[in-house]
Amino acid sequence: MQMLPWLPQDPDLSGAIKAARGIADPLARLHAAIGLAGHDRDTVATQRIDRLAEGCLAELGDGGLTPLRLAILASHSVDHLVPAIRVAGLSHGIAASVHVDGYAQFRQTLLTGDAALERFDPQLVLLALDTAALLPALPLSTDESEADELVRATAADVRQLWRQARNRFGAQPVHQTLIGQAPPVIGSNELLLPASPASLCRRLDQALREAAVEDGVPVVDIADQLPEAIGDDRRYDPVRWHQAKQLINPIFAPLYGDLVARVLAAAGGRSRKCLVLDLDNTLWGGVIGDDGIDGVKLGQGSAEGEAYLAFQHQVVRLAERGVIIAVCSKNDHAVAAAMFEQHPEMHLRQSHVACFVANWQDKATNLREIARRLNIGLDSLVFVDDNPAERAIIRRELPQVAVPELPDDVAYYPERLAAAGYFEAVAVTHDDFARGQNYAANAERAAAVEASTDMDGFLESLDMTLTVGPISPVDRPRAAQLINKSNQFNLTTVRRGEQELAALLGDPANVGLCFRLRDRFGDNGLISVILARPDPQWGEGSLLIDTWLMSCRVLGRGVEAAALQVLADAARRSGAIRLVGEYRPSGRNAMVEEHYERLGFVPVEPPETCNGAARFWHLPLADAAPPAHHMKLEIRA
C-alpha cells in the first residue's frame, strides 16, 4: 500500500534501515536517516527511522537541520503520531522536538499554565481537537438559530485558546481541522437537521477555518488532505477510538506526519520555492524535436492533449501564487522556445518562466545552473520529469532536490504535485504574486552584471530607488514572512510571528523598518527588514540590532549601505548614540559573518549573559559617516 505516493519506493527499505544503523559516524548516520525519510514508508518503517535519527540528534544537536519546537495539545491520543512528525520533518529539513501535553488537558494548560510546557518553550502549539470534546449533543429538533449560536460560541472559545497560546507561551498556534466522527442521520440532505452531529461538525469546521484566516493561524487540514480511507483502512476507525481514543488511525501516521511537517517547514522557511519542469512528455505529449509543433499532443481534440493542458493550468496557478517556474530540458533551445511562442494551445508562456535552460548537457549540471542564476539553494528546487531514469539520476546526484514520483497518466500529475505539499505556505502576501516575475528580472540583472566590466557604472545604470518606512500593519504579513523564512542573509535568525512582531513594534522605544527596492527592470517588492531595540546589557543610549535580514535576490546592489544610513538616522532621532550589531551563526548564514565589519562597525566583547556563539560589533553614531551607495532614497513616514 502506497502511503506517500510522491516519494520513491526502496525495494528493501527494512534492509536499508538495518544497514544505516551500522554506520559509525553519527552525522553520516543522520544523513542516511534523512535519505530513508525521503522514501515511501509505512508506520513501522517510520518508527524505525525515527529511532535511528533520534539517536543521532541526541549526539549532534540539530545536525545542521532547522530546529523547531512543537507542542501538541490534544483532546485525544496523539503519541502514536509523534515519530511520523519527526521523520517527515527530516525530509523537510526540520529537526522537530515534539512535546505532547497531558491527555485532554489542553484547556487547563492554556488557561492556567503548565511548568513542563513553559520549560519546553514551544515555538508552535498545535491544537488537535475533536468534535466530541468541543460540541455537546443537542436534540435533533434544535432549530437553526440555536445551532448557529452553539457554533459561534464554540468558535469564540477556540479563538480564545489560540490567543492564550500566543500570550502565555509566545508561540504560534496551529489549528487542526475537524473530521466527522458520527455518520449522517439523513444522508445527502443532512443540513436539513442543523443540530445533527454531522451538520454541527461541518458548520464548526468552516467557522474555525474562517477564524484561522482572520487570526493568522496556520491550519493542518486533515479533513481535506488526509483521505478518509486507503484500501480497507479508515482514517477514523471507531474501534480504535473506543479502545484508545485515537482520532487518527496509526496506519495513516506517515501521511499525517507529513501534513504537520510541511506546515512546520513553511513556518521555518523550509518550503520549496521553485518548480523546474522537463518539457517533452511532461508539458506536452511527444518530442518537439522529432514530432514538430504540429505533431505534439496538447490541448483540445484528444484526452491526452487535454490532460497535458490541465497540468499546464496547474503550473500557471502555482506561478501566479508565487512559485518560481524554471525549465530544464534536453533540447535545442530555439526548438523548445518556439513551442512556447508558436503553439496556439500553450497555456504556460515564457513570461511565466524565470529561468529557461534547454541544451544537451546533463540535467544535474543544468539544475545547478538554474539554482545559481536564480540565487537560490538546490534545496529550494522541485524537479518534475516524466522519465524515471532522469528522476533517479537527479536523486542520486542532487539529493537536495525534491523529485516527485509521477503516475503513468499525465491526467494525475496536478493532484500528485499538490499532494506532495512542496510549496506549503502559512501566509500569502501581495508580494508573493509577483515573486516569479521578480526572479525572472533578477536573472536578467545577473546576466547584465556578468556582461559588465564596470560594477559602479552598472549599479548606477540600474536606477535603483529604495523606499523605506516603518513596518505598517499592511507591511506586517510580508515582514513576518521574511522573518520566518530568510536563512542566508539573516544576522540572528530570530523567528517571530505576526502577533509577536506587532507587539514589538508597539513599543515606541523600538525601531522597525522595512525596505522596498525598484529599478529599471521592475519592482522587487519588500526585500529587507531591520528591527532594533534598547537593551540594558549595552547601556543607556545603545540600540541593539535585533534583526537584520534581506532577500538574497538583491545581493550585491549596496542595499545594506543605504539601509544603514536610514537606520542610523532613525536611531539618532530616537535618542540613541550607538548601534550594536549581533551575528549568531545558524549554519546557513555564513555569508553575513563579516556584515558589520564591512559596514564600518568595530568588534566589542559580548555581554556576560550572551550565548557563546554570538559575536558583536558597535558603531558610535556621532562619528558615523553616511556609507556610499547607488540608491535614491524615498523615506515613507
Side-chain angles (χ1 to χ4, degrees):
M1 177 174 64
Q2 280 191 296
M3 182 60 63
L4 307 166
W6 59 90
L7 295 179
Q9 293 188 318
D10 187 319
D12 184 17
L13 186 60
S14 179
I17 296 171
K18 184 177 180 181
R21 284 207 309 263
I23 299 173
D25 178 57
L27 187 58
R29 200 161 66 247
L30 177 62
H31 287 166
I34 293 170
L36 293 166
H39 286 81
D40 186 27
R41 50 194 151 72
D42 61 17
T43 300
V44 174
T46 298
Q47 291 170 342
R48 293 179 65 195
I49 296 170
D50 180 56
R51 288 193 291 273
L52 177 66
E54 285 298 286
C56 303
L57 291 170
E59 294 184 56
L60 298 168
D62 58 46
L65 302 167
T66 298
L68 272 178
R69 297 182 302 280
L70 170 72
I72 305 179
L73 276 60
S75 56
H76 46 264
S77 298
V78 295
D79 295 277
H80 61 294
L81 304 170
V82 171
I85 295 172
R86 288 194 292 250
V87 170
L90 297 177
S91 64
H92 289 276
I94 301 289
S97 300
V98 182
H99 172 96
V100 177
D101 193 43
Y103 175 77
Q105 296 298 304
F106 60 96
R107 194 179 304 279
Q108 294 91 323
T109 296
L110 289 172
L111 295 179
T112 63
D114 178 83
L117 187 53
E118 286 173 8
R119 286 194 298 274
F120 180 70
D121 189 21
Q123 294 164 285
L124 299 104
V125 169
L126 171 62
L127 266 174
L129 308 178
D130 55 75
T131 53
L134 291 174
L135 292 169
L138 293 180
L140 286 183
S141 58
T142 304
D143 63 23
E144 186 160 355
S145 63
E146 192 174 343
D148 283 346
E149 176 56 26
L150 174 64
V151 168
R152 188 202 61 74
T154 307
D157 179 45
V158 174
R159 295 176 88 162
Q160 174 62 18
L161 297 177
W162 296 342
R163 284 191 288 274
Q164 285 296 106
R166 284 185 170 123
N167 297 337
R168 185 174 292 280
F169 299 105
Q172 170 66 58
V174 179
H175 170 64
Q176 178 176 297
T177 57
L178 302 176
I179 59 175
Q181 295 171 256
V185 178
I186 291 182
S188 298
N189 296 290
E190 187 72 8
L191 290 180
L192 291 172
L193 290 178
S196 80
S199 289
L200 285 173
C201 175
R202 185 176 299 181
R203 286 168 181 240
L204 180 59
D205 184 57
Q206 183 60 32
L208 289 173
R209 287 171 187 264
E210 293 171 1
V213 172
E214 290 178 11
D215 293 1
V217 174
V219 167
V220 174
D221 188 2
I222 62 170
D224 290 343
Q225 302 293 320
L226 200 62
E228 289 192 39
I230 298 178
D232 293 333
D233 297 302
R234 301 162 66 175
R235 174 183 68 190
Y236 168 74
D237 185 334
V239 174
R240 294 184 182 278
W241 176 258
H242 294 308
Q243 288 181 343
K245 288 294 177 284
Q246 292 176 341
L247 183 71
I248 305 297
N249 187 331
I251 293 171
F252 285 68
L255 185 50
Y256 175 89
D258 202 80
L259 290 178
V260 176
R262 63 183 66 165
V263 171
L264 300 184
R270 298 306 300 264
S271 289
R272 305 276 171 169
K273 298 176 180 174
C274 178
L275 176 62
V276 187
L277 298 158
D278 171 50
L279 295 179
D280 293 330
N281 290 314
T282 299
L283 282 185
W284 53 74
V287 178
I288 184 66
D290 294 336
D291 301 321
I293 291 176
D294 296 335
V296 298
K297 295 175 182 174
L298 179 66
Q300 305 300 318
S302 76
E304 188 178 356
E306 289 187 20
Y308 281 107
L309 185 59
F311 181 52
Q312 289 197 17
H313 276 273
Q314 177 69 0
V315 171
V316 169
R317 283 190 284 270
L318 289 172
E320 289 175 346
R321 60 139 284 200
V323 174
I324 309 163
I325 306 299
V327 162
C328 176
S329 170
K330 287 181 178 175
N331 255 310
D332 285 327
H333 187 281
V335 172
M339 181 70 187
F340 283 74
E341 295 162 0
Q342 299 175 21
H343 197 290
E345 297 274 9
M346 279 294 292
H347 185 61
L348 183 69
R349 314 303 297 183
Q350 287 236 33
S351 58
H352 296 117
V353 180
C355 188
F356 195 111
V357 177
N359 56 38
W360 296 103
Q361 291 195 99
D362 66 276
K363 291 185 177 180
T365 298
N366 284 337
L367 286 170
R368 291 190 189 94
E369 175 63 14
I370 287 169
R372 188 192 69 79
R373 288 189 198 176
L374 294 174
N375 197 23
I376 57 179
L378 285 167
D379 59 0
S380 293
L381 304 184
V382 175
F383 178 54
V384 171
D385 193 318
D386 70 293
N387 187 331
E390 294 285 4
R391 297 199 295 265
I393 291 170
I394 297 303
R395 289 191 191 110
R396 186 191 65 205
E397 297 294 316
L398 303 174
Q400 310 96 318
V401 176
V403 186
E405 278 298 273
L406 294 175
D408 292 336
D409 195 322
V410 68
Y412 296 112
Y413 281 18
E415 67 180 56
R416 177 61 58 85
L417 193 56
Y422 295 121
F423 306 110
E424 186 81 37
V426 293
V428 177
T429 70
H430 180 74
D431 283 358
D432 291 330
F433 297 118
R435 183 180 297 130
Q437 294 173 348
N438 289 340
Y439 273 91
N442 210 44
E444 289 182 44
R445 292 183 194 101
V449 169
E450 289 177 358
S452 174
T453 56
D454 172 14
M455 181 54 72
D456 285 331
F458 170 74
L459 292 176
E460 197 63 41
S461 74
L462 284 178
D463 190 22
M464 295 181 285
T465 299
L466 191 66
T467 302
V468 190
I471 301 172
S472 70
V474 174
D475 299 319
R476 230 163 35 214
R478 172 60 177 161
Q481 189 184 58
L482 278 176
I483 288 170
N484 288 299
K485 71 188 294 186
S486 297
N487 291 305
Q488 297 182 86
F489 195 112
N490 192 334
L491 272 298
T492 55
T493 323
V494 174
R495 307 297 192 190
R496 282 192 176 88
E498 193 177 336
Q499 299 298 320
E500 190 181 356
L501 176 61
L504 186 144
L505 296 172
D507 186 336
N510 298 334
V511 173
L513 298 170
C514 62
F515 300 80
R516 295 177 179 273
L517 180 66
R518 65 178 188 273
D519 59 26
R520 66 182 170 90
F521 289 97
D523 189 343
N524 294 273
L526 200 161
I527 47 87
S528 183
V529 170
I530 297 179
L531 304 174
R533 57 180 171 80
D535 187 324
Q537 294 184 104
W538 293 100
E540 191 172 350
S542 297
L543 209 57
L544 174 67
I545 304 172
D546 171 288
T547 295
W548 189 332
L549 57 86
M550 188 175 78
S551 167
C552 289
R553 290 185 286 115
V554 296
L555 283 174
R557 313 265 208 95
V559 174
E560 309 93 298
L564 176 59
Q565 178 181 335
V566 178
L567 172 63
D569 290 343
R572 290 188 188 97
R573 288 195 299 275
S574 74
I577 57 173
R578 72 165 177 162
L579 291 170
V580 177
E582 178 181 5
Y583 168 69
R584 296 185 199 174
S586 69
R588 303 188 73 189
N589 64 351
M591 71 182 319
V592 291
E593 191 174 8
E594 298 175 356
H595 170 76
Y596 287 114
E597 264 183 57
R598 285 195 291 264
L599 290 174
F601 284 59
V602 177
V604 290
E605 290 296 319
E608 292 182 358
T609 56
C610 167
N611 178 318
R615 289 149 51 194
F616 295 87
W617 292 259
H618 80 145
L619 181 71
L621 292 172
D623 305 326
H629 57 77
H630 298 273
M631 307 274 163
K632 297 172 193 165
L633 292 176
E634 279 185 359
I635 308 300
R636 180 166 55 84

